[in-house]
């Protein structure tokens, strides 16, 4: 299973502008599972034929862990 | 423009120069020896790229993984911006330079040429997994960032993620990457836009093994 993780970036027209530096817009992390490499998965026939755009909002997911803060 | 030859003016032919990013290949096989420069690659359409080069070994699926008869090594990176304001003056491209004894002319793979003319692939990160000798590369992903037209303000930047999948078929070259689009080979998109409009930076993809471990 192949995951691609992505992060959003500036929404400003100029990357290196003053407005870019002061931009406090919310940012997003995305994880996309690639369906092309999966056995029996999507076959690429066009640029848009294998979108992974069925996104699930996991903003409210709680995570649990052990060894947190102890590493 | 500068007085590079120190003759007191900036009107000479070589006083106007353009600076682009460049990639230098060094042989550091022997850590005790002075590194040897194997080659340098730069081009005007590279722009001011900050793309990390990624090394990938391609091999035919019909060959054994450790067979080197048809396999080739590539250095892959993306183009960058063309000005200090972070804007692009040309269509973003993905470059694949075959690593040989002599670098020669780089085979260039054009991304989405003509379809989206106002985007720039900065930051673009081409990350190939499975680059070991025994595990040839099959796919890679990159991030693309589309700039709104000048003066349009915010809100028109879009997000794109794309993938390149090699057919791993003869010839073992970039001509089998992605899908055909006219004379070009282009990647397929993973994600075009989502709820909000932001530029999208692509981090390193990772694989989840059957035991749940990341690699």
């Amino acid at each position: 299973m192949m995951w691609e993780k992505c992060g959003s970036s500036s929404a400003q027209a100029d990357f290196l502008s003053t407005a870019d530096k002061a931009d406090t817009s919310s940012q997003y992390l995305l994880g996309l599972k690639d369906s092309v490499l999966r056995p029996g998965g999507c076959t690429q026939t066009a640029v848009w034929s294998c979108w992974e755009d069925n996104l699930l909002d996991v903003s409210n997911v709680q995570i649990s862990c052990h060894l947190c803060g102890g590493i | 423009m500068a007085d590079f030859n120190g003759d007191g003016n900036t009107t000479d032919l070589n006083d106007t120069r353009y600076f682009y990013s460049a990639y230098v290949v060094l042989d550091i096989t022997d850590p005790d020896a002075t590194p040897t420069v194997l080659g340098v690659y730069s081009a005007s359409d590279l722009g001011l790229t900050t793309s990390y080069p990624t090394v990938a070994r391609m091999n035919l699926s019909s060959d054994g993984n450790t067979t080197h008869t048809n396999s080739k090594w590539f250095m892959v990176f993306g183009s960058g911006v063309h000005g200090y304001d972070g804007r692009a003056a040309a269509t973003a491209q993905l470059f694949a330079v075959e690593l040989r004894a002599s670098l020669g002319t780089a085979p260039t793979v054009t991304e989405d040429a003509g379809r989206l003319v106002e985007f720039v692939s900065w930051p673009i990160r081409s990350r190939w997994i499975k680059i070991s000798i025994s595990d040839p590369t099959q796919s890679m992903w990159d991030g693309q960032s589309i700039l709104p037209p000048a003066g349009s303000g915010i809100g028109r930047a879009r997000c794109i993620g794309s993938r390149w999948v090699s057919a791993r078929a003869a010839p073992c070259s970039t001509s089998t990457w992605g899908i055909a689009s006219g004379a070009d080979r282009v990647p397929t998109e993973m994600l075009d836009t989502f709820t909000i409009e932001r530029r999208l930076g692509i981090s390193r993809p990772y694989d989840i093994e059957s035991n749940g471990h990341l690699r």
Side-chain angles (χ1 to χ4, degrees):
Chain A
M1 179 189 306
M2 183 58 59
W3 282 81
E4 185 184 51
K5 52 186 178 180
C6 322
S8 61
S9 181
S10 170
Q12 300 297 323
D14 293 332
F15 266 123
L16 306 179
S17 64
T18 302
D20 183 31
K21 296 176 182 176
D23 189 349
T24 58
S25 304
S26 297
Q27 300 296 333
Y28 296 81
L29 289 175
L30 299 95
L32 308 174
K33 284 195 289 187
D34 196 318
S35 62
V36 173
L37 294 180
R38 187 179 63 222
C42 184
T43 300
Q44 299 179 107
T45 56
V47 171
W48 308 278
S49 62
C50 294
W51 270 345
E52 318 293 357
D53 57 353
N54 185 18
L55 301 178
L56 174 67
D57 186 350
V58 294
S59 301
N60 296 322
V61 166
Q62 300 287 321
I63 62 171
S64 61
C65 60
H66 60 280
L67 295 178
C68 293
I71 302 176
Chain B
M1 179 182 295
D3 184 14
F4 286 104
N5 59 3
D7 66 351
N9 65 63
T10 58
T11 59
D12 298 302
L13 181 63
N14 290 326
D15 284 344
T16 298
R17 302 184 183 185
Y18 298 92
F19 296 90
Y20 314 111
S21 298
Y23 292 89
V24 181
V25 182
L26 300 175
D27 182 354
I28 56 171
T29 305
D30 183 354
D32 296 323
T34 302
T36 303
V37 177
L38 297 179
V40 177
Y41 179 75
S42 185
S44 60
D45 44 6
L46 259 181
L48 303 172
T49 181
T50 56
S51 175
Y52 293 165
T54 301
V55 175
R57 174 179 177 264
M58 308 297 296
N59 200 8
L60 306 185
S61 57
S62 56
D63 285 359
N65 285 347
T66 56
T67 302
H68 194 60
T69 305
N70 297 299
S71 70
K72 293 179 180 178
W73 290 86
F74 292 94
M75 177 176 67
V76 185
F77 44 89
S79 61
V81 301
H82 298 86
Y84 298 116
D85 61 355
R87 284 185 173 273
T91 301
Q93 289 182 308
L94 200 66
F95 294 80
V97 178
E98 185 180 347
L99 297 174
R100 296 176 295 183
S102 174
L103 289 184
T105 302
T108 300
V109 180
T110 303
E111 271 195 356
D112 292 334
R115 192 173 67 85
L116 296 167
V117 296
E118 296 209 18
F119 74 90
V120 56
S121 61
W122 185 64
I124 183 172
R125 293 288 184 267
S126 304
R127 283 287 191 268
W128 289 43
I129 59 168
K130 302 179 180 178
I131 62 172
S132 65
I133 287 288
S134 61
D135 210 355
T137 302
Q138 184 177 7
S139 305
M140 58 171 287
W141 295 262
D142 66 77
Q144 303 170 9
S145 185
I146 303 175
L147 282 174
S152 67
I154 65 173
R156 294 195 59 184
R158 299 170 58 208
C159 304
I160 281 186
S162 62
R163 68 168 78 74
W164 292 83
V165 174
S166 166
R168 294 190 61 195
C172 193
S173 71
T174 56
S175 65
T176 64
W177 295 4
I179 62 172
S181 177
D184 298 318
R185 302 292 298 189
V186 299
T188 59
E189 295 178 356
M190 292 187 73
L191 183 66
D192 190 352
T193 57
F194 65 111
T195 305
I196 58 150
E197 292 188 329
R198 294 278 190 280
R199 295 192 177 94
L200 187 64
I202 298 295
S203 305
R204 182 174 186 164
Y206 54 92
D207 204 356
I208 299 181
E209 298 176 320
S210 56
N211 58 9
H213 294 167
L214 301 181
R215 64 176 179 173

